[in-house]
């Protein structure tokens, strides 16, 4: 009887160690996976370029600002009231421009 009891204790202990080991390995795997995802997101955030210009409404006109500046360096000759509501909302929030070609395209679209 004592031998059967000892075997039960041994196998219960062995099963508990196996399950615990499995849980530890799974947890470590998830932690490594999460750290990889976070490092990829951080690298992607660093690669995001900063805009060169911001176009927004200023004193009832469309104004071009250098990114980070509070004073416009150019105004576009266009009546804002002729724009659709969506475009006016975008101008209130500010439209970010990332290169000169994109800026020229926007200016031609508005003025042309």
């Amino acid at each position: 009887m004592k031998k059967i009891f000892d075997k039960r204790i041994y196998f219960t202990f062995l099963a508990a160690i196996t399950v615990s080991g499995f849980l530890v390995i799974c947890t470590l795997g998830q932690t490594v996976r999460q750290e990889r995802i976070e490092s990829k997101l951080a690298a992607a955030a660093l690669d995001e370029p900063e805009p060169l210009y911001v176009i927004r409404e200023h004193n009832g006109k469309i104004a071009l600002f250098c990114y980070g500046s509070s004073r416009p360096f150019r105004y576009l000759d266009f009546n804002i009231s002729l724009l659709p509501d969506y475009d006016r909302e975008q101008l209130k929030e500010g439209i970010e421009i990332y290169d000169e070609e994109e800026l020229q395209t926007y200016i031609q679209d508005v003025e042309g």
Side-chain angles (χ1 to χ4, degrees), residues 52-72:
L52 295 176
Y53 305 103
V54 177
I55 300 173
R56 64 176 171 251
E57 180 184 3
H58 186 261
N59 295 332
K61 298 178 183 176
I62 299 174
L64 302 176
F65 294 82
C66 286
Y67 185 75
S69 175
S70 61
R71 294 179 48 190

Side-chain angles (χ1 to χ4, degrees), residues 38-96:
E38 288 174 3
S39 67
K40 285 180 183 178
L41 290 175
L46 293 176
D47 291 345
E48 190 173 302
E50 190 172 273
L52 295 176
Y53 305 103
V54 177
I55 300 173
R56 64 176 171 251
E57 180 184 3
H58 186 261
N59 295 332
K61 298 178 183 176
I62 299 174
L64 302 176
F65 294 82
C66 286
Y67 185 75
S69 175
S70 61
R71 294 179 48 190
F73 72 89
R74 180 176 173 188
Y75 289 97
L76 299 182
D77 187 29
F78 189 79
N79 189 352
I80 290 181
S81 63
L82 298 176
L83 291 173
D85 291 338
Y86 177 76
D87 291 340
R88 283 185 286 197
E89 284 298 317
Q90 281 189 318
L91 285 172
K92 285 181 184 177
E93 294 173 13
I95 301 169
E96 295 178 343

Side-chain angles (χ1 to χ4, degrees), residues 10-11 19 31-32 44-45 48 65 71 78 87 101:
Y10 173 75
F11 286 117
V19 169
T31 302
V32 168
E48 190 173 302
F65 294 82
R71 294 179 48 190
F78 189 79
D87 291 340
E101 184 178 328

